Amino acid sequence: MTWLLENLGAVAGYLASHLTLALPPIALSFLLAVPLGWLANRFRWLRTPLLTGAGLTYAIPSLPLFIVLPIIIGTQTRDPANIIVALTIYGLALMLPLTADGLRQVNPLALDAAKAMGYPPLRRFLTVELPLAGPTLLAGVRVVAVSTVSLVTVGAVLGIPSLGSLFTDGFQRGILAEIVTGIILTVVLALLLDGLLVLLGRVLMPWTRKRPVRTQAQDAVAEVAA
Amino acid sequence: DPLGTAQPTTGPATTAAGGGGGSLTVGSQQYYSNEIIAELYAQVLEKAGFSVSRQYQIGQREIYLPELESGKIDVIPEYSGNLMQYYDKAATATDPAEITATLAKVLPAGLRALKPAEASDQDSYTVTQAFAQQHGLSSIGDLTKAPQPLKIAANSEFATRPYGPEGVQKAYGVTLELVPVEDSGGPLTLRALTDGTVQIADLYTADPSIVKNNLVTLQDPEHLILPQNVTPVVSSKVDDKAAAAIDAVDAKLTATDLQQLNAKSVDEQAKSADIASAWLKEKGLL
Amino acid sequence: MIELTGVTKTYPDGTVAVDHFDAQFPPHETTVLLGSSGSGKTTILRMINRMVDATSGTITIDGENIADRDPVLLRRSIGYVMQNGGLLPHRSVLDNIATVPLLNGEPKQQAYARARELMGLVGLDDKLARRYPGQLSGGQQQRVGVARGLAADPNVLLMDEPFGAVDPLVRADLQDELLRIQQTLAKTIVFVTHDVDEALRLGDQIILLEEGGHVAQRGTGPELLGAPASPFVADFMGLDRGSRDLFDKDGVLVDGFGRAAGVLAGDAPA
Amino acid sequence: MIELTGVTKTYPDGTVAVDHFDAQFPPHETTVLLGSSGSGKTTILRMINRMVDATSGTITIDGENIADRDPVLLRRSIGYVMQNGGLLPHRSVLDNIATVPLLNGEPKQQAYARARELMGLVGLDDKLARRYPGQLSGGQQQRVGVARGLAADPNVLLMDEPFGAVDPLVRADLQDELLRIQQTLAKTIVFVTHDVDEALRLGDQIILLEEGGHVAQRGTGPELLGAPASPFVADFMGLDRGSRDLFDKDGVLVDGFGRAAGVLAGDAPA
Amino acid sequence: MNYLLDAIAWINDPTHWPGANGIGVRLGEHLAYSVLGVLVACVIAIPAGWWVGHTGRLRGLAVGISGGARALPTLGLVTLLGILFGIGLVGPMVAFIVLALPSVLAGAYSGVESADKQAVDGARASGMTEMQVLLRVEVPLGLPLLIGGIRSAFLQVIATATLAAYVGAGGLGRFLFLGLKTQDYAQMLAASLLVVALALVCDIAFATAQRLASPTRFR
Ligand SMILES: Nc1ncnc2c1ncn2[C@@H]1O[C@H](COP(=O)(O)OP(=O)(O)OP(=O)(O)O)[C@@H](O)[C@H]1O
Ligand SMILES: Nc1ncnc2c1ncn2[C@@H]1O[C@H](COP(=O)(O)OP(=O)(O)OP(=O)(O)O)[C@@H](O)[C@H]1O
Ligand SMILES: [Mg+2]
Ligand SMILES: [Mg+2]
């Protein structure tokens, strides 16, 4: 605690750069997963390669990816773009299967109804299918958010500042408090982001806030009595 | 210490056009000791009227040297032997003066090395006091008196170094078994030594834990181990005035000084900026 | 008038769901497609709004071949009510009802006003307007489904077992409601069910289907009960199970098992 | 004889599902619990085999208070048949039927032999023995459910809307089958349904429930139809909707809407 | 692309395979660490998950633990455990277990929860004891989800097991760190490729197991 208080300014700076690095991959992996998830469902033969591929990408050790990526995309090693691209790849690996599942599990009756009412295809996808897959997509984004926040720390090994810098520095200097501070802050940041996403979901998907079963039953009774 | 800087490095350096001496970017390795030295340079440069931006904890050589070459960084504290080997894998120089001479030749255009300090921070064969006494050890060659093979904790690349197991076998007849630990002489390596997992550890000579734990660093009469004197590498933006300021620091930086600076960071958990300014004031440089 | 001529549907897996089906659904009347599971009722219904495209045969609405119409626009012009309502779970009751008018570009205010009117027509409390389907009882959802089917004021209303998922009391209510609405609006309704009682209650005309959409018999309810064309019809209508052969026992009508089925109230009213 | 005295169930969320319910289910007879959704039928049924523990009141079977019995052993002694069968999807038909005898430690061979016998009794082809529930039609699954309920030869059989999920034709078949089985086995059956026709068909005694398990009326089918105790009963039995007031129209019995409901076959057989 | 070819050439070099420092031994170590880590996680998480899924108690806690453990940065954990336990397998093994725990736990409880409610109800009503309901009904029906959880845990641990080399243990991480520290990117990339290939093989094995656990005949 004392350690944290004495180094508050620096830690705040790390926190800020940590967030700057974590947010773009979270957003990007969502934006990429939606069309890819749609493809995986639309074309059956694409499903297995896409989903297995996603699973395997997740198995790439992060350190070499961070080092090899700049060679491939032609950036400098310490460019934040590397971290963002690498973490987007990992995020996509987590997000894609969930997106595909979410879209596949949308109640076909609702889609059928939308079609029967005369929704054109694109509008149907954007205003019916996507929102109805919302809860699963949200679950996916939450997992991605948590794991991305945690993965950003690996960048510290390459000298990209984040809460992970507290690990590398604390380790070299043998300061346990510094490492523990880093771990706790990373977890807290991840869980805060997660909480925010849950709130966002409540706001964007009001229909998922079901009323208690009891009132529903009372409605039914009231209707029968009416 | 990354925590000593007013604002930690995020993104590219802000090289504000300074008043008297222009603006310079000082970088450091991802190594607290290196950051303290960088901070020494930064503070004297500021005193000399330069506006300095700091880019600390930039990973390892393969990451920051390209940035130095491309002009994103102007000053970085380096270590002579490894720097030479980075640019010339076949270099054979082993004593400090030769290395300085070679460096001048192999550094890419636009970069130059300033005068090395007395202080160095190099690999070492370090054993515990008890082990040294038990077998009467003072130099690497004495290790033959202990039962072979001996275990040494070091980074994995130790195996490929001239002063690694093969070199030592050839030069001193000592048989070593490498236990790879990837923390570059950090707490894991130290602990492996003190808890008896290994008999020898490759610690850096400026590591304050050597003094703290009463460890014994073995002599290297055959000069297998490359000297690693603190050597600033600078870009062409560093003019004579700036170079003079930096030289003044290195002229006073001794091996003991460096160990003490490091000890302050590790034991007192002080920030690099505070450690640096205290030392500079003590030496009358600030 | 909706006319189906030689309509056949073979699904990609080879199932011949409907085989050369001919029928006419007269305007302003309710035609019930009755049959057990898998007889092709839903397939026939969905070919009318091109949710399923017929493999062969022609379907015309007021003389116009639906194959020549844009399916999206065709669907907007036909009301469709399905089992469980098929409501959009993420839209409020009002939005659900106003969907088609809004798709047709009607101004929001006008569409919502009409939706509220329809809520009254189908017997839904105005307070439910802002609720989501998941917050309604089964019966209320069905009412929303009916209101939605009527929202664009279509001439044709297709209803696929719309009351299958609810309680018998609620179901009877919904049937009453439909009969009442039909008295004022007089739509052309095609109603699919497998419940004989429901068919007898709602259908001006009943088409009883066997597997493959083959017509076992068509006619009014009394015609099917009074003169079943085949043992299948008699069986389906429950005539040879003893459950529709009713016996008078002290004013209570009992079936062949001696179980009560109704009360004899006298001769039929004129 | 099963007796329930002042039985009340309040669920943890405060819902009073059943409120001071009294009833006797006579041995070797079928008692139907009839009522609309949420009236507490399932709760009453499940209190008998202690799947739900009553909040207060006593339930006795043949004079013994079930609260004193080990619930697991109690359940093995009572047959239970539920909607959709509630079969184990990962066990074959034979294994499903033999579950309870095997739990009771009966030797495998004997349990399987009995299971095959039961398959015959409920009208299942022997060839289905090795199939999994997912490979059966809805009606076949229900038959397996009934066979499973009978497997341990229990005196008491609890059936919770066992035929709710199937086609009306299949449903009628299943009802016939049950009546036939009951003629030979004469179990004490408690049968839950919300279908009036089914209740009239199967029940020796019918208990019509209002919300909270309040008894609206109890008696035989003809008693409920002939002398409804309240407007609710009349409404529920369909008497004041005009659908059970039948009129004779040229031998076809029609309801108040002029829709056909049956055929008048003469006076009741003795 | 060149690096990739070099890496493949490195793997194809037969001299890199045999011996105490060869690919064969390292591959075996890597697999062994992963199996051990996941196995220990299973021993802890499966009974706990089954209990949570069956009773519905402490579900919030289980979800919280899963989420929180996912947020734990592996790098921080490895450095912290390194300082606490020194070199050797203990530190990384604890990290692997922590890493594997959330997926296995979630697979265990969600599997049990996913068992068809009607089937479970039917089983209980037939007179199965709670233990019988769990072991004979809920567990077999939840097996595919459980295996799915173990599968993703295993993939994650395989990817992370390279860190064991950081603190002196073996595994494919040895090649990775040696390559990294000596700028031998071909070797480093080769190590990564081997890790991915190992993951692929294990993934296929798990997919097969998952399919066997949920034969289509149930559906
Ligand atoms: N998309 C499809 N692909 C293949 N076969 C289908 C498809 N839809 C329906 N069928 C088959 O076509 C036949 C008729 O189906 P349809 O849904 O029209 O029957 P239905 O009378 O509506 O039955 P239900 O009362 O069960 O709704 C059935 O054998 C069914 O299995
Ligand atoms: N586990 C439970 N927790 C809370 N309330 C419950 C629970 N189970 C049932 N209820 C409530 O108790 C009342 C009676 O439920 P029950 O299931 O016994 O009715 P039912 O007559 O069987 O209805 P249905 O015909 O829909 O099956 C209902 O209001 C229901 O919402
Ligand atoms: Mg249908
Ligand atoms: Mg019930």
Side-chain angles (χ1 to χ4, degrees), chain C residues 9-18 35-46 52 83 160-161 192-194 209 211-212, chain D residues 167:
Chain C
K9 174 66 195 180
T10 310
Y11 281 108
D13 66 355
T15 316
V16 183
V18 176
S36 56
S37 199
S39 55
K41 307 179 295 294
T42 297
T43 306
I44 294 173
L45 198 72
R46 287 163 71 87
V52 168
Q83 193 170 354
D160 193 354
E161 306 197 31
V192 162
T193 183
H194 58 219
L209 299 173
E211 211 198 330
Chain D
D167 212 54

Side-chain angles (χ1 to χ4, degrees), chain E residues 84-123:
Chain E
L84 293 179
F85 293 113
I87 66 165
L89 209 49
V90 180
M93 202 44 82
V94 173
F96 300 159
I97 293 167
V98 170
L99 198 68
L101 221 53
S103 299
V104 179
L105 186 66
Y109 73 71
S110 60
V112 165
E113 280 172 358
S114 77
D116 178 12
K117 290 288 156 292
Q118 294 247 23
V120 172
D121 201 63

Side-chain angles (χ1 to χ4, degrees), chain D residues 151-196:
Chain D
D153 198 16
N155 295 321
V156 178
L157 198 57
L158 308 178
M159 307 182 83
D160 193 354
E161 304 196 31
F163 310 142
V166 290
D167 212 54
L169 271 187
V170 177
R171 185 169 185 154
D173 271 354
L174 286 165
Q175 289 166 352
D176 287 348
E177 210 81 58
L178 184 65
L179 286 168
R180 193 176 53 67
I181 293 171
Q182 177 64 348
Q183 264 168 9
T184 35
L185 300 184
K187 302 286 180 193
T188 305
I189 298 181
V190 187
F191 191 105
V192 161
T193 184
H194 58 218
D195 181 345
V196 176

Side-chain angles (χ1 to χ4, degrees), chain D residues 62-113:
Chain D
D62 296 332
E64 196 184 355
N65 191 334
I66 61 163
D68 302 332
R69 298 190 53 185
D70 175 46
V72 167
L73 295 179
L74 174 73
R75 287 172 201 149
R76 290 190 196 165
S77 74
I78 296 178
Y80 186 63
V81 186
M82 54 209 282
Q83 191 169 353
N84 296 320
L87 303 177
L88 300 179
H90 60 306
R91 294 286 173 79
S92 70
V93 165
L94 215 55
D95 279 323
N96 263 288
I97 298 178
T99 306
V100 182
L102 289 176
L103 284 175
N104 280 334
E106 213 171 280
K108 266 203 173 175
Q109 215 173 345
Q110 189 180 327
Y112 284 151

